[in-house]
Amino acid sequence: MTTPTISNYLSEHRESHLNELKELLSIPSVSALPMHNQDTIRAAEWMAASLRKLGMENVTLYPTNGQPVVYGEWLKATDKPTVLIYGHYDVQPVDPLNLWDSAPFEPEIRDERIFARGASDDKGQTFMHIKALEAILESTGSLPFNFKFCIEGEEEIGSPNLPRFVSENKDLLAADVIVISDTSMMEEDKPTICYGLRGMCGFQLDVKGPKRDLHSGLYGGAIANPIHAVVELLQSFRNADGVITVEGFYDKVAVLSEEEKQAFKALDFNENAIKDEVGVSEFFGEKGYSFYERVWVRPTLEVNGVYGGFQGDGIKTVLPSEAHAKITCRLVPDQDPDEILELLQNHVAKNAPPGVEVSVSLFDKGAPFVTPFDHPAIQAASRAYEKVWEVPTAFTRGGGSLPIVSTLDEELQAPIVLMGFGLPSDNVHAPNENFKLKNFDKGLLTLCTYWDELSAVMNVK
């Protein structure tokens, strides 16, 4: 499918495509912050306009109890299978802002990377699908399959409303293959297909002590300090080796097969490169498990934020009235998010320190997902990568979570192909998020090649 005509089209329109991407990245569509609700809707409208420009029909913003779902379809390939492309237009918050080298919503290209929040996760990668189909349509006048787009605006808060939308619109979204680009390659010039993702559940600890902040000289030592209580609770979740001490937490963890263990060992693992990339002197985690096993097939419990008391410059001798902690768990087959959340609540109730009131607020959740990596649709993706990058494709599991993937798998009963083009150095969810332009260019060619490779196996559902 990547004929010279298509390749030339992408080259000739590269600058205009990057300018369009900059427009999209300029929209601060932070779904976690209500102050950006209108911006998130603006991003949805931008996506809808882009689909219409591409030639998609029945482009609609479907309302939900949160942000709208953008849908569009091109169903002119008579008697051909249908591909559903999923992506999301919302982004993570930008804090801490002072660590950004350029404004997060003023896209800037430097060092052959485009820097902005959402550049890699997931505006840039979703945008690539639109431009790949544009190149094919403009070069050939048609598309090899029927295509549908489902682009949501709440992925970064756990897709709370999309499962219901999918369940209520199975016919609308019905497809033979689902393709998602929201993952990363293992490293530069090492194309990677992710065939499994960890699930997730999140919660917040809220600890209430005295009815108001107190003078620590007048009351300290006699009144329970909520920050101390939070620290004590957090300490109770794990031991010194990173093993989670919540009763029953590991009961349903699926055992990794020997075949997968050997496949992980066969990967070219550069321990020092990873340490240098993230800036640590040594790894940490459960003993007896490799780095990849820890981040791909073992569950976690991580503290994402702790706050309470005086946060300004200098010191204020205050005994705070309350304190809080935000925690997320990455889950693996066959852990159920609801069961894990119940175990966590039981643990908090059992370990709550005296003198304070402790409550738990539940947040986003999603089930883990694994698909056979020898499926024809996935192998076709592998061939597409190898034709463009000219190196073998690695098959991995992902440590992150796409909460909707398990829902799409269950509700639509179609193989899901995760074709990611990001890199570990993209700073996803962190300051200075970026997307390497080399991966943008080669990713577009890979997607165009994939539709060609897929055409030979699409009769296999």
Side-chain angles (χ1 to χ4, degrees):
M1 184 60 67
T2 48
T3 63
T5 304
I6 293 174
S7 298
N8 290 339
Y9 180 90
L10 291 170
S11 296
E12 292 168 2
H13 291 79
R14 183 178 190 259
E15 185 174 353
S16 63
H17 288 168
L18 288 175
N19 286 335
E20 288 180 55
L21 178 56
K22 286 181 179 179
E23 287 182 14
L24 175 59
L25 295 175
S26 298
I27 304 173
S29 50
V30 183
S31 55
L33 302 177
M35 64 181 288
H36 286 296
N37 280 350
Q38 290 304 311
D39 296 315
T40 310
I41 292 173
R42 193 153 57 93
E45 292 171 342
W46 193 99
M47 282 292 190
S50 186
L51 291 179
R52 293 189 187 99
K53 180 182 176 182
L54 171 63
M56 294 287 116
E57 299 177 340
N58 297 321
V59 177
T60 306
L61 269 65
Y62 283 91
T64 70
N65 288 332
Q67 300 299 337
V69 174
V70 182
Y71 174 83
E73 62 185 25
W74 191 93
L75 305 179
K76 300 177 182 179
T78 307
D79 298 326
K80 295 291 182 67
T82 299
V83 175
L84 174 66
I85 296 172
Y86 163 87
H88 65 91
Y89 58 82
D90 65 319
V91 299
Q92 282 278 325
V94 299
D95 307 274
L97 186 60
N98 65 299
L99 295 183
W100 286 78
D101 295 329
S102 55
F105 295 111
E106 295 178 13
E108 182 177 300
I109 293 177
R110 59 182 188 272
D111 301 325
E112 286 303 302
R113 293 174 179 266
I114 183 167
F115 287 81
R117 175 60 89 224
S120 179
D121 180 22
D122 178 45
K123 287 179 178 177
Q125 297 200 60
T126 301
F127 178 81
M128 287 167 59
H129 278 282
I130 297 174
K131 293 303 154 183
L133 294 188
E134 176 189 297
I136 297 171
L137 261 176
E138 292 296 324
S139 300
T140 70
S142 187
L143 294 175
F145 307 111
N146 297 297
F147 283 91
K148 298 177 179 180
F149 279 86
C150 176
I151 309 174
E152 67 155 320
E154 297 182 315
E155 192 276 341
E156 298 293 5
I157 57 172
S159 304
N161 293 294
L162 194 57
R164 180 178 178 180
F165 176 82
V166 174
S167 179
E168 293 177 350
N169 293 277
K170 291 181 184 179
D171 291 340
L172 180 72
L173 301 175
D176 299 287
V177 168
I178 302 169
V179 178
I180 301 174
S181 295
D182 195 13
T183 52
S184 297
M185 294 163 50
M186 288 187 66
E187 58 187 63
E188 191 169 347
D189 295 321
K190 192 163 188 176
T192 306
I193 292 178
C194 176
Y195 65 92
L197 294 165
R198 291 194 289 192
M200 185 177 73
C201 62
F203 65 104
Q204 177 173 306
L205 279 178
D206 300 297
V207 178
K208 185 73 175 67
K211 63 181 181 182
R212 65 179 186 278
D213 288 358
L214 300 176
H215 190 298
S216 65
L218 299 178
Y219 295 96
I223 302 295
N225 186 322
I227 294 180
H228 291 192
V230 164
V231 171
E232 186 177 335
L233 276 169
L234 295 180
Q235 188 67 23
S236 74
F237 284 118
R238 303 194 316 180
N239 67 19
D241 293 325
V243 176
I244 298 162
T245 55
V246 175
E247 185 176 352
F249 189 87
Y250 294 102
D251 285 357
K252 292 188 177 180
V253 172
V255 177
L256 186 67
S257 70
E258 190 60 34
E259 180 183 9
E260 283 189 286
K261 281 187 178 182
Q262 294 305 316
F264 292 173
K265 287 181 180 179
L267 293 171
D268 184 18
F269 175 57
N270 189 331
E271 178 176 318
N272 290 329
I274 293 179
K275 289 177 181 177
D276 290 342
E277 172 66 29
V278 300
V280 298
S281 59
E282 59 182 293
F283 294 132
F284 169 84
E286 293 180 88
K287 292 181 178 178
Y289 295 95
S290 68
F291 176 86
Y292 288 137
E293 288 173 330
R294 288 172 183 171
V295 299
W296 290 345
V297 298
R298 296 298 294 172
T300 68
L301 185 151
E302 297 290 349
V303 180
N304 307 125
V306 181
Y307 57 102
F310 179 64
Q311 304 293 317
D313 294 334
I315 191 168
K316 182 180 180 183
T317 54
V318 63
L319 193 159
S321 172
E322 59 187 52
H324 312 269
K326 296 180 184 291
I327 301 166
T328 52
C329 297
R330 299 291 177 172
L331 309 179
V332 300
D334 295 305
Q335 290 180 304
D336 178 86
D338 290 320
E339 292 179 2
I340 294 299
L341 285 170
E342 184 177 353
L343 294 176
L344 293 168
Q345 288 177 296
N346 292 340
H347 179 89
V348 170
K350 183 188 296 185
N351 291 275
V356 295
E357 296 178 6
V358 181
S359 60
V360 175
S361 303
L362 306 182
F363 291 128
D364 35 359
K365 60 184 178 181
F369 165 80
V370 176
T371 193
F373 64 82
D374 58 353
H375 191 283
I378 290 180
Q379 291 301 313
S382 173
R383 292 192 296 275
Y385 274 116
E386 290 176 5
K387 284 188 174 182
V388 175
W389 258 271
E390 299 182 335
V391 294
T393 303
F395 292 92
T396 70
R397 292 204 200 181
S401 305
L402 293 172
I404 196 57
V405 169
S406 59
T407 298
L408 293 172
D409 178 48
E410 180 179 347
E411 296 285 357
L412 301 183
Q413 297 291 300
I416 299 176
V417 183
L418 302 175
M419 296 185 69
F421 301 99
L423 292 171
S425 57
D426 287 352
N427 291 339
V428 169
H429 290 204
N432 297 312
E433 180 179 349
N434 64 88
F435 193 25
K436 195 172 183 66
L437 296 186
K438 177 181 178 180
N439 286 42
F440 177 80
D441 296 332
K442 284 196 169 185
L444 285 167
L445 291 173
T446 303
L447 290 174
C448 293
T449 304
Y450 178 53
W451 307 130
D452 190 37
E453 293 292 330
L454 190 61
S455 62
V457 298
M458 279 296 287
N459 59 332
V460 181
K461 186 172 181 178

